[in-house]
Amino acid sequence: EDIRYFMAEQNGLMVGYVFLFEMNRSVPWLGIAVREEYKGRHIGRKLLAYAEAYAKAQGKGGILLTTHVSNIRGQSLYERCGYERMGMHQSGEVLYLRRW
């Protein structure tokens, strides 16, 4: 009940997904993945936009996410999409926040 999942598919194949968790908070967390052979096709950007629109419609104030320090491609995507790098999370991953 506290998690919302959304999937991108092409010809019956799941090519990516995004999920929001801790939806009971004013700023939920986001997780996202795109199938390797589908990266570079703007699927991640579309999934982020969909999750953001959903969170806004639910009255949320933003989205948090973390990513591995070596995930340069992901960090670039998040920053292009308006996510602010907040520093390091206690998990050792990079922490991002998108507010609206």
Side-chain angles (χ1 to χ4, degrees):
E1 295 178 13
D2 202 25
I3 302 175
R4 302 294 181 274
Y5 298 94
F6 307 100
M7 175 184 75
E9 67 91 20
Q10 187 172 33
N11 300 322
L13 176 68
M14 182 173 74
V15 297
Y17 67 91
V18 65
F19 61 97
L20 295 166
F21 60 101
E22 295 189 5
M23 288 296 294
N24 60 333
R25 295 177 176 238
S26 61
V27 179
W29 288 88
L30 178 137
I32 186 169
V34 174
R35 190 179 287 265
E36 194 64 39
E37 62 268 27
Y38 284 84
K39 289 183 178 178
R41 300 184 191 187
H42 306 290
I43 293 168
R45 183 176 296 177
K46 291 174 184 175
L47 286 167
L48 277 177
Y50 191 89
E52 290 168 5
Y54 179 84
K56 287 177 186 176
Q58 299 301 307
K60 304 304 177 185
I63 291 176
L64 286 161
L65 65 85
T66 61
T67 189
H68 195 274
V69 294
S70 67
N71 184 4
I72 304 304
R73 187 177 196 157
Q75 292 171 37
S76 178
L77 169 65
Y78 306 138
E79 291 170 15
R80 281 193 318 271
C81 290
Y83 285 76
E84 182 181 351
R85 185 180 181 138
M86 303 301 292
M88 299 303 288
H89 185 263
Q90 64 189 14
S91 66
E93 294 193 322
V94 182
L95 176 65
Y96 282 93
L97 171 64
R98 172 90 195 270
R99 297 178 250 218
W100 44 78

